[in-house]
Amino acid sequence: MEMQRAVEIFNSKDTYKVNLEGEPVWIEQIDPRNGMATVQVGSRPTNTLTVNVDRLKEGE
């Protein structure tokens, strides 16, 4: 995913499907300077990862 699109999704009031390697994730935080995103994996709030935005896919 492109950084600009990740920021748009993060700032949107709408809900978008975003996946990390086939797993649904929720974008918790964006770090545009470093190209990273902190995401919640699945429905467990304590299961977070910080990954390169390029690894995120929209709508799968």
Side-chain angles (χ1 to χ4, degrees):
M1 175 179 297
E2 302 260 339
M3 176 56 71
Q4 181 178 344
R5 182 63 182 144
V7 170
E8 289 171 2
I9 290 171
F10 178 71
N11 290 326
S12 177
K13 298 206 184 300
D14 296 326
T15 300
Y16 294 89
K17 289 184 179 182
V18 177
N19 290 290
L20 171 66
E21 299 170 359
E23 290 288 322
V25 296
W26 183 263
I27 300 173
E28 295 282 325
Q29 187 175 1
I30 296 282
D31 180 359
R33 175 177 277 165
N34 294 310
M36 305 297 282
T38 300
V39 297
Q40 175 186 317
V41 181
S43 60
R44 291 158 290 190
T46 58
N47 189 6
T48 59
L49 297 171
T50 301
V51 298
N52 192 301
V53 170
D54 292 344
R55 294 178 59 194
L56 302 176
K57 305 271 188 231
E58 182 178 1
E60 291 183 1

